[in-house]
Amino acid sequence: MNYSEAFEAVQHGDYSSAAPLLAQAATETHYTSDAINQALILALHRTGESARAVEVALSVGVDRAEDSPGMALDYFQRALIAGLDSVRAREIGVIQERWAEQERWADAAPERAHGGAVRRVANVVGELAVSSPAARYTRTLCEGFRS
């Protein structure tokens, strides 16, 4: 499949045409292309298919959790913004707890891969409304870091 038609539809804001093309592209690439996955999630969100956007974002995030935690967090945030329910949001918490446990053991190692202690963590906030799920998630995340 030539994916340019799908990306052109996204660029022109024709999300209704882009969504099925991107879904096919994601299936063909086994959800390994971040460009296709992210465009698909955007198209699904813009066409009101939030439930499918949640499924794709969460599934890809879980798949990336072991080899690319940063990318997994990006997908998890997309799932949360699209309306992920609290039960499955807990799955994200379990993954983050596993990462924390792995970090605890990594701290015992003489040298860390990035060369120093983590002093700051960044999170992009996509919505500033205090009542939004993304804002509540960010507050919860910050409270967890503080504790």
Side-chain angles (χ1 to χ4, degrees):
M1 174 184 179
N2 183 353
Y3 306 131
S4 62
E5 185 180 344
F7 286 110
E8 285 177 27
V10 169
Q11 285 180 326
H12 291 74
D14 185 5
Y15 299 108
S16 297
S17 297
L21 295 172
L22 290 164
Q24 180 182 351
T27 301
E28 288 177 3
T29 60
H30 304 286
Y31 296 88
T32 58
S33 168
D34 290 321
I36 292 171
N37 296 337
Q38 292 175 11
L40 172 59
I41 293 165
L42 173 66
L44 292 171
H45 184 69
R46 292 291 175 100
T47 58
E49 295 185 64
S50 293
R52 280 188 59 207
V54 164
E55 295 303 324
V56 171
L58 183 61
S59 176
V60 173
V62 168
D63 287 347
R64 299 285 196 290
E66 294 306 316
D67 63 327
S68 182
M71 190 59 75
L73 283 174
D74 182 55
Y75 283 107
F76 292 155
Q77 186 169 12
R78 290 169 192 267
L80 288 160
I81 289 170
L84 182 68
D85 62 87
S86 62
V87 172
R88 292 186 306 160
R90 181 66 190 123
E91 290 178 38
I92 295 172
V94 169
I95 290 169
Q96 291 176 329
E97 289 167 359
R98 188 172 63 237
W99 289 339
E101 185 64 29
Q102 290 168 348
E103 276 299 307
R104 185 173 302 140
W105 289 107
D107 285 343
E111 189 175 309
R112 296 178 63 121
H114 55 74
V118 174
R119 289 185 171 46
R120 292 193 169 96
V121 176
N123 187 22
V124 176
V125 178
E127 188 174 343
L128 297 177
V130 175
S131 62
S132 77
R136 286 193 304 269
Y137 168 72
T138 303
R139 269 195 312 275
T140 302
L141 188 63
C142 290
E143 289 168 6
F145 285 142
R146 275 190 221 113
S147 67

